Amino acid sequence: MFKGITKRWVLNTLCTIVAIVVFAVVCLSYFFTTYYYSSVEQTLSGRSVELLNILSDYNSDTDAGFSSTVRGYVESFSEKERMEITVISRSGNIIATSTGFTPEGNEPMPDYEAAKDSGAGYAKWTGRLSTGEKVTAVTRIVRNTTGNTVCAIRYVTSMTAVNRLLFTSIAIFTAVGLIIISLVIFSGTYFIRSIVRPVRVISDTAKQIAQGDFNAQIDKMYDDEIGDLCDSINDMARELGASERLKNDFISSVSHELRTPLTAIKGWAETMQGCGIPDKETFDKGMDIIVKESSRLTGIVEELLDFSRMQNESMVLRMEKLDILAEIEDVLYMLRDRAISEQKHLLYDQPEIMPPVMADKNKLKQVFINIIDNALKYTPAEGVVGVQVIHEDDTIKIVVTDTGCGIAPDDLPRVKDKFFKANQSVRGSGIGLAIADEIVVKHGGTLDIESGIGVGTTVTITLPVATE
């Protein structure tokens, strides 16, 4: 139970709060104890000063007037219920007490002994009587104007009521402290549970996702950081599920793409082998198909290798100054026969001259082949694929348009994602545009796509002009 976040909360927050509350209760208890005891002492001291002023004019404690004054003051003392007065002669004999009874001889009076030895003639004492009752006593030595000791006045009061009040106060402080700790524990437990429970659910769901269950979702319980984390993990699971499906489609598509040329190559090789020496027409046709399908296989493998390099960020470009028009014309020359055989019109608006660009010749040609090949692939018979090269400021734009089926608005933002194929019925691995976009970006350019269903697609490749 007490592990992880809960354990840290108990060790850090709760222990700190308990220590603070205990410290506060101890400090308050000490303060109130000191305050009440000091108040009692000050009250007793004030009373002793009152009698001191009355007796300071007497020269001897044997004087009849002295005894009469002492007894009159003691007998008329208004606070007999709260404190006891004892008047002690300079010889140590008790002259009068407010209770009317002489204390027992074994009753401790350390304050009286201390007052006699004190230069100030004053001392206090808090302790227990022989009966066990706790009291506070104050003794003040009375001296006349010549400095001779007249008598000693001792005030004693019981601390029972004060201790009872202190006990009540400390009990209240302790109860308030316990209430605070209880509230902290309650609120803290609720708060910790509001974190621990969703975290456990998130942990369990993450384990399911790690095991391949991308349909696992977390119920969002709180609209806070935990809720945002739940949304992020749910989005991650959906994205992983989509990526898994795209990957499987990619594997299936690539397998099909590889199987088709391999089947053609194997079929024609077996045909040519089984027929002995075929006639020249059959031989030329078979070899032509084998060469074309071998080239197609090479292209697929190269595409996969480029994709692997892109994933590992190990794609290296060999940059050099290039005539962009020459490269485009080479690609169009390669694809013109295919366009004619498929009854499609491949149009090229050739400008007179263009500034050079810094680029990797093979990679850039791969981009042009991929874009124009896609345009031909999705354009029906008698359709048109147009290529334009435009010089604008410090950039060169290669614009490839087609009159094909177009791309749905929902699919358009994802056509450059790896593994994504907007049209599953058309051959292709789904990584060509992702590779082309990566190559263009590495050249410092952009690859933009505009399309509409039934209207066609326009791909614009923008490359910077060489500055050197």
Side-chain angles (χ1 to χ4, degrees), residues 226-403:
I226 297 292
D228 293 340
L229 179 60
C230 293
D231 289 338
S232 298
I233 291 180
N234 288 338
D235 292 341
M236 180 191 70
R238 285 191 288 269
E239 290 296 327
L240 287 174
S243 297
E244 182 70 12
R245 289 189 294 273
L246 288 174
K247 184 190 72 174
N248 293 336
D249 292 342
F250 167 73
I251 293 173
S252 175
S253 176
V254 168
S255 299
H256 177 74
E257 289 289 308
L258 293 172
R259 188 185 301 114
T260 301
L262 285 173
T263 301
I265 292 170
K266 181 181 179 183
W268 275 100
E270 290 176 345
T271 298
M272 294 170 67
Q273 186 182 42
C275 295
I277 300 176
D279 59 85
K280 188 176 186 306
E281 181 180 354
T282 303
F283 179 82
D284 290 342
K285 182 178 181 181
M287 290 303 297
D288 183 57
I289 291 175
I290 289 174
V291 170
K292 286 183 178 180
E293 295 301 324
S294 297
S295 298
R296 183 178 168 189
L297 275 177
T298 301
I300 294 173
V301 172
E302 286 295 331
E303 195 173 64
L304 292 174
L305 289 174
D306 283 336
F307 176 74
S308 176
R309 295 187 191 102
M310 183 182 75
Q311 290 295 98
N312 296 329
E313 297 184 355
S314 59
M315 183 182 290
V316 179
L317 300 180
R318 295 175 175 83
M319 308 295 280
E320 59 180 319
K321 277 189 177 181
L322 294 179
D323 180 358
I324 195 75
L325 298 179
E327 303 306 322
I328 292 175
E329 288 171 4
D330 284 349
V331 172
L332 292 174
Y333 180 78
M334 291 170 54
L335 297 174
R336 186 167 284 112
D337 288 342
R338 172 190 162 189
I340 294 172
S341 65
E342 294 178 358
Q343 299 179 353
K344 300 172 185 178
H345 303 285
L346 182 57
L347 306 180
Y348 174 46
D349 185 8
Q350 182 177 1
E352 294 183 1
I353 191 170
M354 282 287 160
V357 297
M358 291 295 296
D360 183 309
K361 180 177 181 179
N362 294 327
K363 296 299 182 187
L364 199 57
K365 186 177 290 186
Q366 180 182 348
V367 172
F368 296 152
I369 291 173
N370 184 286
I371 300 302
I372 299 173
D373 176 76
N374 276 347
L376 291 170
K377 189 190 306 180
Y378 290 98
T379 299
E382 301 303 326
V384 177
V385 175
V387 180
Q388 282 183 296
V389 183
I390 305 170
H391 179 206
E392 288 186 359
D393 298 327
D394 296 330
T395 62
I396 292 178
K397 292 185 177 181
I398 300 92
V399 183
V400 179
T401 59
D402 65 61
T403 57

Side-chain angles (χ1 to χ4, degrees), residues 45-78:
S45 178
R47 286 297 185 180
S48 67
V49 171
E50 178 183 310
L51 186 55
L52 176 65
N53 294 332
I54 297 174
L55 301 177
S56 60
D57 292 334
Y58 289 93
N59 294 323
S60 174
D61 59 359
T62 59
D63 184 85
F66 172 79
S67 299
S68 175
T69 301
V70 168
R71 293 182 187 280
Y73 177 84
V74 171
E75 289 174 359
S76 62
F77 187 60
S78 61

Side-chain angles (χ1 to χ4, degrees), residues 18-33 169-178 180-181:
V18 169
I20 292 173
V21 170
V22 170
F23 178 75
V25 170
V26 170
C27 289
L28 286 172
S29 300
Y30 175 78
F31 170 78
F32 272 80
T33 301
S169 300
I170 292 172
I172 292 173
F173 299 151
T174 304
V176 171
L178 291 175
I180 292 173
I181 293 173

